[in-house]
Structures are given as C-alpha cells and as structure tokens.
C-alpha cells in the first residue's frame, strides 16, 4: 500500500535494496519541462566531489549505484527517473538528495508535481512505496523534493519540498558542487538558462538533444578567436627559359630496290581467250 506523505514527514524503507525515484508532473500549455537530479552527500552534508552530482549531463555516478534514466510520457503525464542501489552505495554516502530543475518557466506553472518511490525488486507493476505531492512550489526554478538518508542501519525517505529561486546553480552550490565562474558572477538570483528541450512522444524517451547548464568545472571558452598572423602572398617560382624545340634530322633513306623486269613470253604461247563465265546452279 502506498503511503501518501505530508511535507516534512519521513518513512522507513525497510528491506529495500534498490529504489526508483520518479519525479512526475503534468504537461501544461506553455509550461516548463522538468529534469530530476541527485546529489550524494557525506557526513558533512556536502558532495565529496563534483562526480557526486548526477543529472542529465552526468547521468551515472562513478560507482554505478545512482543512475539517471530516460524521460517518458504517458498521456498528459511526464516522468523523469533515478535508480538508486541503496545496499551498494559507498559507506561514506550518508544521504541522497533528490531534486528537480525547471527549464523554460517555473514550478508554479506545473500541475500534478509529485515524487514517488518504488521498490525495484517488486517489478514494474508494483505500487509505489511512498508518494509526496508538492503543492506549494511557487515561482521557483529548482526544487529539493526529498532525501533518502541512513538511520539505525537502514534507510528512510523524508519529504522536503524546498524551492530555490536561484535555480539549479543555487541548489547545487548549497551542497558543494563547483559552479562555473561565469555563472557564479552572473548572480545567484538569475535563473539557469538552458537550451530549449525537445518534445517527448508518448511512451518514448526524447532524443538526447536538449541540454543542461554546464555546472561542473571546466576551462572557460575564449570569448574571441586568437589572431592569425598575416601570411605572405603566395607566388609561383620562376621558370628558366627553355630552348626552342627542333625536330631531329632524319637519316637519309637508301634508294628503293628496283622492280625486276618482266620475263618475255615464250614464242608460240598465248593465253586462251576468256569468255563469259556462268555459275551452274544444280
């Protein structure tokens, strides 16, 4: 039976080795698209490195225990999914925070927003273990939906529903993710700008064409192309003058061999007269 959770409540995940966290919302005309994210936190409540941030551009944790799945659509509902192997997570990971980011708008434009947790071992037709409906998202562009955390040798899930007007950058930096300096200087109040996402046909995952802001450390791209030194004009090499071509002298041919004289006909010899010839057809 699914437990419907109010904001701030928690529920144990007893005897669950792996969970599927599903962020679900309803498509609205002109509304934003949503992407699910996860942050793996240590005992200090921060990521150990930028690799602990799992999102669209980094869909698999190096341990392989947290994976971002393909987005799907059924009817008017869209879902974005994370699979989390609780039993195999590194021991130093104390919490897994599950959040979402809005692209092309804010969460106030989204209806039916909720997060559901499933026991993967029960199969795709099982009911969710827990459901948290996020009803007070307001005009924020990032959302901390909930967290899965260790407690007394097991795992629990807490419903949070905390919004971030500073967008995904604000959410990520709160947990120690390194943000590109250009984005940080732009101000924490500015929403994250990402490319337009493609529509998702029913029952299929979208092409991997829509993007996420580049939050992980990377060398900045140069604003202008480097100057190219002027090149000397190309000239054809001089060709030395050639002597005029002359035909070689032909060797002198010997005189032709004289035709031998005809032999005289013997006396008294004459060819018989030739009459008309007829071909006899049998």
């Amino acid at each position: 039976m699914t437990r419907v959770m109010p904001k701030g409540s928690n529920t144990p995940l007893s005897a669950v080795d792996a969970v599927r966290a599903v962020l679900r919302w309803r498509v609205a005309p002109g509304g934003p698209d949503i992407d699910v994210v996860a942050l793996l936190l240590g005992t200090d409540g921060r990521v150990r490195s930028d690799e602990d941030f799992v999102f669209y551009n980094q869909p698999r944790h190096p341990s392989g225990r947290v994976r971002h799945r393909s987005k799907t659509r059924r009817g008017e509902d869209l879902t974005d999914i994370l699979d989390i192997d609780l039993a195999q997570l590194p021991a130093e990971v104390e919490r897994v925070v599950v959040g979402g980011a809005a692209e092309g708008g804010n969460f106030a434009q989204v209806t039916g927003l909720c997060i559901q947790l499933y026991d993967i071992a029960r199969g795709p037709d099982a009911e969710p273990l827990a459901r948290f409906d996020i009803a007070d998202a307001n005009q924020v562009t990032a959302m901390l939906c909930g967290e899965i955390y260790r407690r007394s040798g097991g795992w629990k899930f807490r419903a949070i529903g905390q919004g971030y007007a500073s967008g995904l950058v604000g959410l990520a930096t709160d947990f120690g993710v390194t943000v590109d300096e250009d984005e940080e200087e732009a101000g924490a109040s500015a929403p994250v700008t990402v490319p337009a996402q493609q529509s998702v046909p029913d029952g299929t995952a979208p092409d991997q064409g829509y993007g996420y802001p580049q939050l992980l450390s990377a060398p900045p791209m140069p604003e202008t192309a480097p100057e190219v030194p002027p090149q000397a004009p190309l000239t054809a090499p001089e060709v030395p003058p050639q002597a005029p071509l002359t035909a070689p002298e032909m060797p002198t041919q010997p005189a032709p061999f004289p035709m031998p004289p005809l032999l005289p006909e013997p006396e008294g010899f004459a060819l018989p007269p030739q009459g008309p010839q007829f071909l006899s057809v049998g």
Side-chain angles (χ1 to χ4, degrees):
M1 181 177 178
T2 302
R3 179 180 178 185
V4 179
M5 303 177 62
K7 186 174 182 177
S9 64
N10 61 70
T11 185
L13 302 174
S14 303
V16 178
D17 290 334
V19 296
R20 175 162 292 171
V22 178
L23 192 61
R24 184 184 301 272
W25 69 98
R26 183 158 296 173
V27 176
D33 198 9
I34 310 297
D35 290 289
V36 69
V37 302
L39 298 106
L40 285 68
L41 310 180
T43 56
D44 59 353
R46 298 172 67 83
V47 297
R48 298 163 298 166
S49 72
D50 290 345
E51 292 180 335
D52 284 341
F53 186 31
V54 178
F55 64 114
Y56 177 77
N57 278 350
Q58 189 167 267
R60 184 183 178 91
H61 189 263
S63 67
R65 304 309 176 185
V66 180
R67 301 172 298 279
H68 177 259
R69 296 298 188 184
S70 297
K71 190 175 296 183
T72 60
R73 175 174 179 172
R74 292 185 178 180
E76 296 182 349
D77 289 343
L78 273 166
T79 61
D80 207 9
I81 300 170
L82 289 168
D83 284 352
I84 307 168
D85 296 336
L86 299 176
Q88 301 296 327
L89 279 175
E92 58 270 24
V93 175
E94 288 289 321
R95 299 158 57 195
V96 179
V97 169
V98 179
E103 190 278 324
N106 58 64
F107 279 94
Q109 301 169 276
V110 172
T111 60
L113 180 66
C114 70
I115 182 171
Q116 298 171 308
L117 259 64
Y118 292 82
D119 184 352
I120 294 178
R122 295 185 181 182
D125 298 325
E127 292 185 356
L129 301 172
R131 175 189 177 107
F132 170 41
D133 295 312
I134 307 172
D136 56 350
N138 299 322
Q139 294 184 356
V140 295
T141 54
M143 176 68 62
L144 179 53
C145 303
E147 64 176 1
I148 302 169
Y149 60 98
R150 295 184 189 267
R151 183 57 54 89
S152 302
W155 292 92
K156 285 188 172 184
F157 173 72
R158 178 182 290 116
I160 298 178
Q162 175 185 338
Y164 281 78
S166 54
L168 187 58
V169 171
L171 188 154
T173 53
D174 267 6
F175 294 102
V177 176
T178 303
V179 178
D180 186 270
E181 292 180 0
D182 292 338
E183 291 180 356
E184 192 173 12
E185 291 174 0
S189 60
V192 177
T193 302
V194 296
Q197 299 187 7
Q198 300 176 0
S199 59
V200 185
D202 288 350
T204 62
D207 293 336
Q208 307 300 313
Y210 62 93
Y212 231 95
Q214 182 61 38
L215 297 177
L216 303 183
S217 298
M221 296 293 291
E223 296 182 358
T224 59
E227 291 189 6
V228 179
Q231 301 291 329
L234 297 177
T235 57
E238 293 188 6
V239 179
Q242 301 290 327
L245 298 177
T246 56
E249 293 186 6
M250 298 298 293
T252 304
Q253 299 292 329
F257 193 82
M259 180 72 67
L262 296 177
L263 295 176
E265 293 183 0
E267 294 182 2
F269 177 81
L271 291 174
Q274 298 292 327
Q277 301 291 320
F278 298 95
L279 180 63
S280 175
V281 178

